[in-house]
Amino acid sequence: MITLLYFARYREALGQEKEQLELDSPCSLQELLDRLRERGEPWASTLNDNKLLMAINQTIAPAEQLINDGDEVAFFPPVTGG
Amino acid sequence: MITLLYFARYREALGQEKEQLELDSPCSLQELLDRLRERGEPWASTLNDNKLLMAINQTIAPAEQLINDGDEVAFFPPVTGG
Amino acid sequence: MDKLQLSIQTDDFNIEDEYQYLRQGNSDSGAVVTFLGQVRDFNQGEAVSQLELEHYPGMTESVLKKLLEEADKRWAIDRAKIIHRVGPLNASDKIVWVAVASAHRGDAFHACEFLIDALKTQAPFWKKERSATGERWLDARDSDQDKAQQWMKND
Amino acid sequence: MDKLQLSIQTDDFNIEDEYQYLRQGNSDSGAVVTFLGQVRDFNQGEAVSQLELEHYPGMTESVLKKLLEEADKRWAIDRAKIIHRVGPLNASDKIVWVAVASAHRGDAFHACEFLIDALKTQAPFWKKERSATGERWLDARDSDQDKAQQWMKND
């Protein structure tokens, strides 16, 4: 089981900030992202953003990084704080 | 008549912060400085400081600048504020 | 007292109090440089304008902690603190405060500017503007990315 | 309210109050950078230490005014203020505060650093340290001259 978090415009577009997902086998962030997009709208267009950032366990991670069971995975747009 | 002002360590060494002086004719800061040094101690050694700064009417001025009647002339060491 | 401090909070803060806290037991620092970011009046002429600050609790703190530690490695710092507000904010409200105390003012300036530049591109905060005409998420600015890149070149 | 302000004073000041004053009617500025110089504990281990700040009234104000005007020419500034204290000061007391508000944080950082660097080499203030072992006038530091020179090269 992994936890998915969505922030800012993604959270609003998807209508949720958090969900839990069962992972059959270890997969990469890219594979997870593809799987989510295959759900259709609003996933397909919301997560089809070349500026999308991903984090595993609160650290920014590249698309090829593997997700392990129990991980917290977050999707968010470029940050605009400060 | 011109007004002379001394600041910081010069003021303390000379035992005065201000004096007035009659100028016979227009003279440069360098000439005024030489005249003051000729008074002997504590003038001679106090004003014999290669870091000494001079101002005419509250603006830093070079040694060759001429002093006019009514001017305010100040002598002080390098500044250490802030 | 911790040398490096951070706070994510909804409440406003008093800069004089924060300054007193920074120098408490710290009379070695001759210089304190601070950056304050405040809400700009982005809807001049419109009656209502508000900013909503969202963040990623946990990751925010861990990113800011790493940035403070990096600043501490690169410059001579006696104390540093970052305060960042979240939640709804109004025009002219304080958003972020970065303060660095050092014996050397050059170090204080550099560390403070590094921290705000890095915060703006690395810390997971997002701003949404609300006005009478609607609301929109702010876009990240390329100029912020450029500023952050500069600090890496200087390594 | 004047865009460029300065104050030479014996009394302490409250940074939060000064900040409120800086941003009053000024919601354009997203960034406020400040430098604070405070009395260092120059006599660690000794019971008494005090600083005496002397200045040249009139010239001080005119030099600082010119520096503020120069900063205003070189960078995009919405508000700037310099406060410098004179008279007797104790360890950890505030000495000088330089604040610059701008729409651009880079400008605020540069203008603030320029102002304190130029103030340190051009404004007629002199510091005397007093402690249990006596008193002495501080010497100007070459490093301050070097910093001030940098700003001229950048012209």
Side-chain angles (χ1 to χ4, degrees):
Chain A
M1 189 87 91
I2 61 168
T3 303
L4 304 190
L5 300 176
Y6 307 104
F7 289 98
R9 72 179 84 209
Y10 301 164
R11 174 180 56 72
E12 284 190 346
L14 300 177
Q16 63 179 350
E17 59 181 52
K18 186 177 185 169
E19 64 174 305
Q20 298 209 297
L21 210 69
E22 202 66 55
L23 270 197
D24 315 324
S25 56
C27 81
S28 71
L29 277 171
Q30 186 62 53
E31 286 162 344
L32 172 64
L33 191 59
D34 292 341
R35 216 168 109 182
L36 293 171
R37 282 179 187 150
E38 282 161 16
R39 288 173 172 177
E41 293 306 335
W43 309 91
S45 56
T46 301
L47 299 182
N48 185 22
D49 178 357
N50 61 11
K51 292 188 169 173
L52 175 140
L53 297 172
M54 298 179 278
I56 297 181
N57 298 328
Q58 310 191 345
T59 301
I60 297 277
E64 63 273 18
Q65 190 164 321
L66 286 182
I67 304 163
N68 293 305
D69 194 46
D71 279 355
E72 176 179 295
V73 178
F75 298 93
F76 47 82
V79 302
T80 56
Chain B
M1 190 86 88
I2 61 169
T3 303
L4 304 189
L5 301 176
Y6 307 103
F7 290 97
R9 73 179 84 208
Y10 300 164
R11 174 180 57 71
E12 284 190 346
L14 300 177
Q16 64 179 349
E17 59 181 53
K18 186 177 187 169
E19 64 173 306
Q20 296 210 298
L21 210 69
E22 202 67 56
L23 270 195
D24 314 324
S25 56
C27 81
S28 70
L29 277 172
Q30 186 62 55
E31 286 162 343
L32 172 64
L33 190 59
D34 292 341
R35 215 168 109 183
L36 293 171
R37 283 179 186 148
E38 282 161 15
R39 287 174 172 177
E41 293 304 336
W43 310 90
S45 56
T46 301
L47 299 181
N48 184 24
D49 178 358
N50 62 10
K51 292 189 168 173
L52 174 141
L53 296 172
M54 297 179 279
I56 297 180
N57 298 328
Q58 309 190 346
T59 301
I60 296 277
E64 63 273 20
Q65 191 164 321
L66 286 182
I67 305 163
N68 292 305
D69 195 44
D71 279 353
E72 176 179 296
V73 177
F75 298 92
F76 48 82
V79 302
T80 55
Chain C
M1 186 168 331
D2 286 343
K3 176 179 177 179
L4 307 174
Q5 299 167 24
L6 66 94
S7 170
I8 311 298
Q9 59 188 59
T10 53
D11 291 344
D12 192 17
F13 50 92
N14 181 294
I15 303 176
E16 176 68 25
D17 293 346
E18 291 299 333
Y19 164 67
Q20 293 297 340
Y21 186 59
L22 264 184
R23 75 174 179 178
Q24 208 179 312
N26 174 31
S27 57
D28 290 341
S29 295
V32 180
V33 172
T34 68
F35 171 86
L36 185 112
Q38 61 186 26
V39 182
R40 291 169 70 165
D41 190 7
F42 44 85
N43 276 295
Q44 290 159 326
E46 286 186 30
V48 184
S49 63
Q50 207 185 38
L51 204 64
E52 179 80 28
L53 251 296
E54 179 172 333
H55 78 124
Y56 182 173
M59 180 168 166
T60 311
E61 289 81 353
S62 110
V63 168
L64 295 183
K65 186 164 175 285
K66 271 181 211 147
L67 295 181
L68 285 164
E69 288 165 353
E70 187 179 341
D72 186 36
K73 264 185 220 142
R74 291 174 68 168
W75 295 282
I77 291 177
D78 291 323
R79 290 274 163 82
K81 181 163 190 173
I82 297 175
I83 301 177
H84 204 298
R85 291 174 71 192
V86 291
L89 296 172
N90 295 304
S92 283
D93 277 355
K94 298 168 199 147
I95 304 172
V96 59
W97 189 68
V98 178
V100 177
S102 171
H104 308 283
R105 73 179 180 281
D107 283 37
F109 271 107
H110 290 139
C112 185
E113 193 167 10
F114 160 77
L115 284 170
I116 184 61
D117 286 353
L119 181 155
K120 285 199 178 246
T121 53
Q122 295 182 40
F125 293 100
W126 300 275
K127 286 188 188 122
K128 185 159 77 170
E129 285 179 359
R130 280 202 195 95
S131 73
T133 58
E135 52 179 53
R136 68 179 192 100
W137 289 98
L138 289 197
D139 287 320
R141 294 187 300 182
D142 291 339
S143 63
D144 285 332
Q145 289 293 339
D146 295 344
K147 280 199 172 71
Q149 288 290 336
Q150 287 297 325
W151 293 106
M152 299 191 210
K153 285 188 200 148
N154 291 343
D155 262 340
Chain D
M1 187 168 332
D2 286 343
K3 176 179 175 178
L4 308 174
Q5 298 168 24
L6 66 94
S7 171
I8 311 297
Q9 59 188 59
T10 51
D11 291 342
D12 192 16
F13 50 94
N14 181 294
I15 303 177
E16 176 68 24
D17 293 346
E18 291 299 332
Y19 164 68
Q20 294 296 340
Y21 187 59
L22 264 186
R23 74 175 179 177
Q24 208 179 313
N26 174 31
S27 57
D28 290 341
S29 295
V32 180
V33 172
T34 69
F35 171 86
L36 185 112
Q38 60 186 26
V39 182
R40 291 168 72 164
D41 189 6
F42 44 84
N43 276 295
Q44 289 160 324
E46 284 188 30
V48 185
S49 64
Q50 207 186 37
L51 205 65
E52 179 80 28
L53 251 297
E54 178 171 334
H55 78 124
Y56 182 173
M59 180 168 168
T60 311
E61 288 81 353
S62 110
V63 167
L64 295 183
K65 186 162 175 286
K66 271 182 210 147
L67 294 181
L68 285 164
E69 287 164 355
E70 187 179 342
D72 186 37
K73 264 186 220 141
R74 293 176 66 169
W75 295 281
I77 291 178
D78 292 322
R79 292 271 164 81
K81 181 162 188 172
I82 297 174
I83 301 176
H84 204 299
R85 291 175 71 192
V86 291
L89 297 172
N90 294 305
S92 285
D93 276 356
K94 297 169 198 144
I95 303 172
V96 59
W97 189 69
V98 178
V100 178
S102 171
H104 307 283
R105 72 178 182 280
D107 284 36
F109 271 107
H110 290 139
C112 185
E113 194 166 9
F114 160 77
L115 284 170
I116 185 62
D117 286 353
L119 180 154
K120 285 198 177 244
T121 53
Q122 296 181 39
F125 293 100
W126 301 274
K127 286 188 189 123
K128 185 159 76 169
E129 285 179 358
R130 279 203 196 93
S131 72
T133 57
E135 52 180 54
R136 68 179 191 100
W137 290 96
L138 289 196
D139 286 320
R141 293 187 302 182
D142 290 340
S143 63
D144 285 333
Q145 288 294 338
D146 294 343
K147 279 200 172 73
Q149 288 291 337
Q150 287 298 325
W151 294 104
M152 300 191 210
K153 285 187 200 151
N154 291 343
D155 261 341

